[in-house]
Amino acid sequence: MENTLVNPTKKQWISLVLCVIAGSIAPFFQYCHGTMADYFMDEYNLSYTQWGIINSTYSFACGIGLFIVGAIVEKLGCKAWTMIGIAMMIVGHIIFFFAPSYPVLIIARIISGAGNACIYNAAYTLAVHWFQGTNKVGVATAGMTGADGIGTFLALYIFALVMSHMGMTSGNITVVAIVAVILVLLIIFLKDPGDAEAGNEAAADAADDGKFDKALNTNTIAHSLIVTGVLGGLGIANYWGPTMMQEMGLSNSTSGLISTLYTLLGIFSGLIFGAISDKMGKRKPSLLIAGIGMTLAYVIMIFGSMWSSVALVAVAFMLAGFCAYVAYPIGFALISDTVKSNKIGGANGIIQGVSFLIGMFVFQQVVGVVKDATDSYWIGLAFCAVLIFLVNVVSVLIFAKEKDQIQKKAK
């Protein structure tokens, strides 16, 4: 018998907003230290290699942490792990800013990276749990994707403004105090769905019929590859984008602002296509449109690099971000559609762990290595375009299965 999906309640929408607020703290503390790079490199006499190690250590800690948290998130509860993650990132940021030496800087980023893993996995899983059995799962996952754009914008632009107006020490102390207050409010008001709305569990149980009962399945594989492409593009936008545009003559602040377009447009595209996919009852068409659009964006980026055209590079970032943040939430919605509720945390851990470790390393390293070897960006970007086509188009065609396909196979 076909399950009837219901409209979300007011409590569910409020809980989604709280999950988005919690989720935005992860990218904020992930990227905000980048706006202080000059200060720390001067203060600690760091080389670019040492600064790169700090970033790589963070990514490694987060990537490994995502596998671990995914395996155990359901035992303690998603809310608890989200709160632990925020607290860890606050502590990590404090230690980082007041670190007495380079090794302590690395330790601080390990703590923050592990905290990031807790938030990314638990907050996303919590939002999905809240919307299990409803007809707005795509909108919910898109809202959580919007958290990434919000946090990145706050980190790369608003945080820089705060530092310039308040000074390095006062600005950081103020930001930490604000996030600490947000943590207290989330502890008070954010709930796991079973604690706040008993009917939600019954809807989730009914929606579990005919779904994958293992965290590792074809849709998990598909979305692991999809998000690898998304994070690969995000890494290029955040790490190489400003450098590319500065070499074309733009200022640091303008380059950084254009680079944030990758995530800012995702706030809107995810919600639009999330609602469309909810209405259609299918996720695969949106995923394919997103993959084709991302591939096209890289082609535009290649020509922008070859012709030293800031306009083309900016258009490429906007198109890539728009499409990437269609793929990101719709893929998580597909997981919610086809994986049993108590396995979603584990599936998310696999997806986020694989994609974070590969996407945040491979794409940027390819561009960097090719740039060193050829003094050109476009060759590396061309290689990334091929990777994007493979992981965001071909993998969807091969591995992604709609919920009706899974249910028919189960019968």
Side-chain angles (χ1 to χ4, degrees):
M1 184 175 71
E2 187 175 350
N3 295 317
T4 301
L5 302 178
V6 299
N7 289 317
T9 65
K10 183 178 179 181
K11 284 184 179 180
Q12 287 169 303
W13 287 119
I14 292 173
S15 295
L16 177 61
V17 171
L18 295 175
C19 286
V20 169
I21 292 172
S24 67
I25 292 173
F28 174 76
F29 279 129
Q30 178 178 357
Y31 295 121
C32 72
H33 82 291
T35 63
M36 303 184 288
D38 292 343
Y39 169 82
F40 279 96
M41 291 181 75
D42 290 340
E43 186 76 14
Y44 295 88
N45 194 27
L46 302 178
S47 66
Y48 284 99
T49 299
Q50 288 176 308
W51 186 252
I53 290 173
I54 288 174
N55 292 328
S56 298
T57 301
Y58 177 96
S59 297
F60 185 77
C62 184
I64 296 299
L66 284 164
F67 286 111
I68 298 171
V69 176
I72 61 178
V73 67
E74 303 290 359
K75 295 179 181 178
L76 186 59
C78 293
K79 175 189 172 177
W81 280 110
T82 303
M83 301 303 103
I84 289 170
I86 295 173
M88 289 177 67
M89 295 202 83
I90 291 174
V91 170
H93 186 80
I94 293 172
I95 295 174
F96 187 82
F97 185 72
F98 292 103
S101 64
Y102 176 66
V104 179
L105 289 174
I106 294 178
I107 292 171
R109 292 304 283 172
I110 291 174
I111 294 171
S112 290
N116 192 333
C118 295
I119 299 173
Y120 267 155
N121 186 281
Y124 273 77
T125 304
L126 181 58
V128 170
H129 281 338
W130 265 106
F131 277 72
Q132 282 282 286
T134 75
N135 55 10
K136 292 294 185 292
V137 173
V139 173
T141 55
M144 291 308 299
T145 302
D148 199 54
I150 293 168
T152 301
F153 177 73
L154 291 172
L156 295 180
Y157 191 65
I158 301 301
F159 183 75
L161 293 178
V162 172
M163 295 303 103
S164 64
H165 283 84
M166 298 187 67
M168 196 63 65
T169 301
S170 297
N172 274 279
I173 292 174
T174 300
V175 166
V176 167
I178 291 172
V179 178
V181 171
I182 292 173
L183 173 59
V184 172
L185 293 175
L186 288 172
I187 290 173
I188 296 171
F189 294 108
L190 182 60
K191 307 291 183 183
D192 285 303
D195 297 336
E197 194 163 345
N200 203 59
E201 288 186 332
D205 289 340
D208 269 349
D209 289 343
K211 292 185 176 183
F212 287 119
D213 59 1
K214 293 183 179 180
L216 181 59
N217 54 72
T218 58
N219 281 348
T220 303
I221 294 170
H223 199 39
S224 294
L225 295 171
I226 289 168
V227 183
T228 295
V230 171
L231 295 185
L234 176 62
I236 288 177
N238 285 348
Y239 295 124
W240 285 111
T243 304
M244 290 169 59
M245 286 180 284
Q246 286 165 27
E247 291 181 6
M248 295 177 191
L250 294 186
S251 65
N252 290 352
S253 58
T254 304
S255 299
L257 183 59
I258 291 175
S259 296
T260 62
L261 294 174
Y262 185 95
T263 48
L264 280 178
L265 285 178
I267 297 173
F268 306 102
S269 65
L271 290 171
I272 293 169
F273 275 82
I276 291 173
S277 71
D278 283 336
K279 190 72 174 178
M280 291 176 60
K282 292 184 179 296
R283 313 297 183 186
K284 205 166 178 176
S286 297
L287 290 173
L288 289 171
I289 291 171
I292 293 169
M294 289 173 68
T295 305
L296 177 61
Y298 269 83
V299 173
I300 296 172
M301 202 181 304
I302 289 167
F303 285 111
S305 173
M306 292 174 63
W307 298 340
S308 296
S309 171
V310 172
L312 282 180
V313 173
V315 168
F317 280 159
M318 288 189 285
L319 178 59
F322 185 93
C323 293
Y325 283 92
V326 171
Y328 195 52
I330 300 303
F332 278 117
L334 184 65
I335 295 299
S336 177
D337 290 343
T338 58
V339 178
K340 290 190 175 181
S341 181
N342 63 352
K343 300 297 181 182
I344 288 176
N348 285 350
I350 295 170
I351 293 163
Q352 293 168 324
V354 169
S355 60
F356 203 94
L357 286 174
I358 299 176
M360 280 293 186
F361 282 104
V362 173
F363 284 75
Q364 296 88 290
Q365 291 301 316
V366 165
V367 173
V369 169
V370 173
K371 172 66 173 173
D372 283 337
T374 66
D375 196 31
S376 171
Y377 285 112
W378 79 265
I379 299 174
L381 291 173
F383 185 79
C384 291
V386 174
L387 287 179
I388 286 289
F389 182 74
L390 291 174
V391 300
N392 288 91
V393 178
V394 175
S395 73
V396 173
L397 291 171
I398 294 175
F399 295 111
K401 307 295 181 185
E402 298 282 7
K403 60 182 178 181
D404 56 342
Q405 294 177 288
I406 304 300
Q407 289 170 343
K408 285 179 182 178
K409 189 175 180 180
K411 292 178 181 179

